[in-house]
């Protein structure tokens, strides 16, 4: 993990939030390459959902009517058990102490589980993870609102709107990507558990009785999505929630877990939420959330199959999965270790880098002209500084799948070399054919 965190900073993937002020715990900023990778992940997800004829998209506001969170059960149930160490005053999530470090500088290196075993902890108290704020100038309880802890509720409360404004009828889904906020007791493992993050959620509304079929369908579909973007099959598995683990709304639930360097961790949850959500919103809002099927003349509350992925957690899983170190030959016949981010070309932030082999004989001008011609179609990076081998290594580490080099042969026959990041093989391509070449390779 340390290597990945440091690469993220070095190459401009992720920075600590408010770093010059010492950082803000559980918050991270995406740098020039990170923002592109995150956008690409979200774009791939959005495409995979909304290119279907049975899924519509929405973008609901982050602040919602406070009754939403009563209906959803978040006010009552969205809590984690919290314990304090009487000695060092550090605070922990009681069910996740594991190997968390003790908060006392006097006990450097000690694990909090030891302090727990020694009876230093208070009884567990329930702590609600929703961030509370106030709408308007008065900070009283009637003005309290919450930063949404999940994007799903924005979809449920718009169910009737989408139904009446689109031509959809169950089974159909609503997709949304957006920020969510959780005041996690302990943030950890870089982007894995943060206080502000993004979710990619799709809620699929189905007639009761067909829920199990659709649950199985979406479970497989979502795993396939991660695999289609190059994630290693052996590093992904399903974890089924046992009855005690199930959330208050869930009938059945599977997590897609990825094997991070710190162990298996959930990157997406697929839940059969039954008719819990629409029934509760019907009860709390007084509006019927039922669907009337004209053909069968039946009126029913649709069941919901939820696919809920973390964009930020997926970002980290894609990064971890792509990172490798390998021995590679140098120009003088030796070998050196090269760091490669083998991101799928569709996810790679920059699709190609363009280099002049040397800074003379008109090569920089031709290379710049090539970069200018490609830029309207793909993100490209121009670099003319240092030995070409070094420039390749920098791009390998940044995850750029192709490096285009202008050399002396270009001056004679208008071809350039295109080097493949993974195989390091080079081929000659006519400079006017670069856009179609890249389009075919990054599609
Ligand atoms: P966990 O058990 O890890 O807290 P969860 O079961 O509460 O997660 P869900 O409520 O199912 O998570 O949220 C769906 C997805 O949102 C998760 O699979 C994860 O990718 C993402 N997610 C949830 N909490 C966080 C967080 N604090 N930081 C980053 N991503 C998160």
């Amino acid at each position: 993990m340390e290597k990945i965190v440091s690469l993220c900073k070095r190459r401009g993937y992720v920075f600590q939030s408010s770093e010059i002020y010492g950082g803000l715990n559980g918050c991270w900023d995406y740098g020039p390459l990170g923002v592109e990778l995150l956008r690409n992940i979200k774009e791939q997800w959005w495409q995979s959902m909304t290119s279907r004829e049975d899924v519509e998209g929405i973008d609901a506001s982050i602040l919602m009517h406070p009754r939403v969170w009563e209906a959803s059960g978040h006010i009552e149930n969205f809590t984690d058990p919290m314990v304090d160490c009487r000695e060092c005053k550090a605070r922990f999530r009681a069910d996740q102490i594991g190997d968390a470090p003790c908060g006392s500088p006097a006990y450097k290196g000690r694990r909090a589980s030891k302090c727990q075993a020694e009876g230093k902890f208070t009884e567990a108290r329930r702590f609600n993870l929703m961030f509370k704020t106030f709408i308007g100038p008065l900070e009283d309880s009637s003005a309290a609102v919450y930063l949404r802890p999940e994007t799903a509720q924005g979809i449920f409360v718009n169910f009737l709107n989408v139904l009446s404004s689109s031509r959809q009828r169950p089974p159909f889904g609503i997709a949304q990507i957006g920020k969510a906020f959780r005041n996690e007791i302990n943030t950890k493992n870089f982007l894995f558990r943060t206080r502000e993050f993004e979710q990619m959620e799709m809620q699929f509304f189905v007639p009761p009785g067909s829920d199990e079929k659709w649950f199985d369908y979406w479970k497989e579909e979502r795993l396939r999505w991660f695999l289609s973007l190059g994630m290693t099959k052996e590093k992904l598995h399903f974890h089924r929630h046992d009855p005690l683990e199930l959330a208050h709304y869930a009938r059945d639930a599977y997590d897609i877990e990825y094997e991070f360097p710190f162990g298996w961790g959930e990157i997406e949850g697929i839940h059969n939420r039954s008719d819990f959500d629409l029934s509760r919103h019907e009860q709390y809002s007084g509006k019927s959330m039922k669907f009337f099927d004209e053909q069968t003349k039946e009126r029913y509350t649709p069941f919901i199959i939820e696919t809920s992925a973390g964009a930020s957690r997926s970002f980290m899983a894609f990064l971890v999965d792509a990172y490798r170190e390998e021995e590679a030959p140098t120009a003088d016949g030796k070998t050196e270790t090269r760091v490669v981010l083998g991101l799928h070309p569709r996810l790679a932030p920059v699709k190609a880098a363009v280099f002049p082999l040397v800074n003379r004989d008109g090569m920089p001008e031709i290379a710049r002209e090539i970069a200018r011609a490609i830029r309207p179609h793909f993100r490209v990076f121009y670099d003319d500084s240092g030995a070409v081998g070094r420039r390749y290594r920098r791009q390998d580490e940044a995850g750029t799948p192709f490096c285009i080099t202008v050399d002396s042969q270009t001056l004679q026959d208008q071809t350039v070399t295109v080097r493949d990041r993974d195989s390091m093989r080079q081929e000659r391509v006519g400079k006017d054919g670069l856009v179609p070449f890249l389009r075919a390779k990054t599609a």
Side-chain angles (χ1 to χ4, degrees):
M1 277 311 296
E2 264 167 37
K3 285 182 175 171
I4 287 169
V5 175
S6 105
L7 179 141
C8 278
K9 175 154 189 204
R10 195 167 65 243
R11 289 283 162 234
Y13 271 93
V14 181
F15 309 126
Q16 212 183 359
S17 160
S18 327
E19 191 179 349
I20 58 169
Y21 291 99
L24 181 67
N25 203 337
C27 300
W28 299 89
D29 297 343
Y30 292 85
L33 292 189
V35 73
E36 294 297 333
L37 174 58
L38 187 64
R39 278 168 55 97
N40 292 343
I41 292 170
K42 290 188 289 185
E43 184 54 27
Q44 288 299 321
W45 183 89
W46 190 254
Q47 275 299 324
S48 78
M49 289 296 177
T50 60
S51 61
R52 300 169 56 104
E53 62 177 358
D54 56 359
V55 176
E56 305 287 339
I58 64 159
D59 187 4
S61 63
I62 287 174
L63 299 176
M64 300 177 74
H65 196 288
R67 289 278 282 169
V68 168
W69 307 111
E70 288 175 37
S72 68
H74 279 82
I75 301 257
E76 198 183 334
N77 295 313
F78 198 56
T79 57
D80 277 338
M82 179 174 75
V83 289
D84 294 297
C85 176
R86 289 196 195 86
E87 195 168 309
C88 71
K89 310 295 177 218
R91 200 154 259 184
F92 301 95
R93 187 169 147 179
D95 59 339
Q96 284 189 354
I97 291 175
D99 60 357
C102 162
S104 165
Y107 287 124
K108 202 164 183 297
R110 179 195 249 246
R111 300 286 153 216
S113 45
K114 191 146 197 277
C115 309
Q116 185 184 33
E118 289 168 8
K120 292 186 174 150
F121 284 4
T122 58
E123 285 294 302
R125 287 172 293 147
R126 309 292 311 173
F127 170 74
N128 196 297
L129 301 186
M130 283 196 293
F131 280 99
K132 199 176 194 175
T133 185
F134 299 94
I135 206 150
L138 285 182
E139 292 199 3
D140 64 23
S141 58
S142 65
V145 287
Y146 301 91
L147 299 188
R148 66 181 178 200
E150 61 176 29
T151 58
Q153 299 301 326
I155 295 180
F156 304 146
V157 300
N158 276 299
F159 168 67
L160 296 177
N161 288 333
V162 175
L163 199 60
S164 63
S165 59
S166 69
R167 300 198 55 81
Q168 300 289 356
R169 296 290 172 261
F172 81 100
I174 305 179
Q176 174 170 227
I177 298 177
K179 291 255 178 174
F181 303 83
R182 296 184 187 179
N183 200 358
E184 300 278 359
I185 298 169
N186 298 126
T187 58
K188 63 175 178 186
N189 294 330
F190 194 32
L191 305 173
F192 186 80
R193 190 172 301 286
T194 55
R195 296 199 164 105
E196 177 178 338
F197 55 96
E198 262 184 300
Q199 291 186 311
M200 309 183 289
E201 295 198 305
M202 195 281 303
Q203 311 290 335
F204 205 71
F205 301 84
V206 303
S210 65
D211 49 311
E212 283 176 25
K213 182 188 87 186
W214 281 109
F215 181 67
D216 289 344
Y217 170 83
W218 279 110
K219 191 176 135 245
E220 295 308 321
E221 200 55 19
R222 292 305 305 143
L223 182 68
R224 230 164 44 80
W225 183 79
F226 285 105
L227 295 173
S228 75
L229 292 170
M231 219 177 247
T232 311
K233 196 164 181 224
E234 293 69 38
K235 297 234 165 215
L236 288 167
H237 73 196
F238 283 117
H239 160 75
R240 188 178 194 174
H241 288 209
D242 68 40
L244 288 176
E245 217 181 326
L246 282 178
H248 60 278
Y249 51 76
R251 256 196 179 190
D252 201 354
Y254 280 88
D255 293 338
I256 298 179
E257 293 190 331
Y258 180 80
E259 191 177 18
F260 290 100
F262 48 83
W264 290 93
E266 171 187 341
I267 51 176
E268 170 155 353
I270 297 110
H271 306 125
N272 181 345
R273 301 183 67 115
S274 72
D275 59 357
F276 176 85
D277 306 283
L278 294 181
S279 303
R280 290 277 287 203
H281 284 301
E282 177 168 307
Q283 188 189 338
Y284 279 71
S285 68
K287 302 267 181 324
S288 169
M289 303 295 265
K290 295 190 176 58
F291 170 70
F292 180 68
D293 189 329
E294 296 284 354
Q295 275 155 15
T296 62
K297 305 292 176 213
E298 269 178 312
R299 188 181 297 280
Y300 63 83
T301 306
F303 272 41
I304 294 174
I305 307 303
E306 166 179 80
T307 70
S308 172
S312 345
R313 270 195 204 170
S314 304
F315 176 103
M316 194 168 112
F318 280 118
L319 267 186
V320 167
D321 204 60
Y323 183 94
R324 59 177 197 266
E325 289 173 11
E326 59 188 30
E327 292 305 306
T330 58
D332 55 5
K334 299 194 182 116
T335 59
E336 64 175 6
T337 307
R338 74 167 188 145
V339 173
V340 189
L341 263 192
L343 291 166
H344 191 287
R346 266 184 271 154
L347 297 183
V350 175
K351 307 298 183 205
V354 186
F355 312 147
L357 183 64
V358 288
N359 281 321
R360 57 182 150 77
D361 304 336
M363 291 184 207
E365 289 74 16
I366 298 173
R368 278 194 187 280
E369 182 202 314
I370 289 173
R372 233 185 342 263
I374 300 175
R375 197 160 281 131
H377 308 276
F378 302 100
R379 280 197 67 87
V380 285
F381 180 78
Y382 174 84
D383 188 4
D384 60 12
S385 63
V388 76
R390 264 291 159 66
R391 284 180 260 164
Y392 285 147
R393 294 287 177 270
R394 279 205 290 268
Q395 294 308 316
D396 290 344
E397 208 183 58
T400 308
F402 299 101
C403 289
I404 297 165
T405 306
V406 172
D407 55 15
S408 50
Q409 195 178 327
T410 315
L411 309 177
Q412 285 149 27
D413 65 5
Q414 310 292 306
T415 63
V416 291
T417 64
V418 179
R419 171 190 178 268
D420 180 286
R421 173 197 65 201
D422 299 319
S423 66
M424 292 189 284
R425 271 201 292 276
Q426 304 194 4
E427 60 182 301
R428 290 208 80 87
V429 177
K431 77 182 170 62
D432 294 336
L434 284 168
V435 169
F437 176 90
L438 290 175
R439 185 158 289 135
K441 295 278 188 181
T442 61

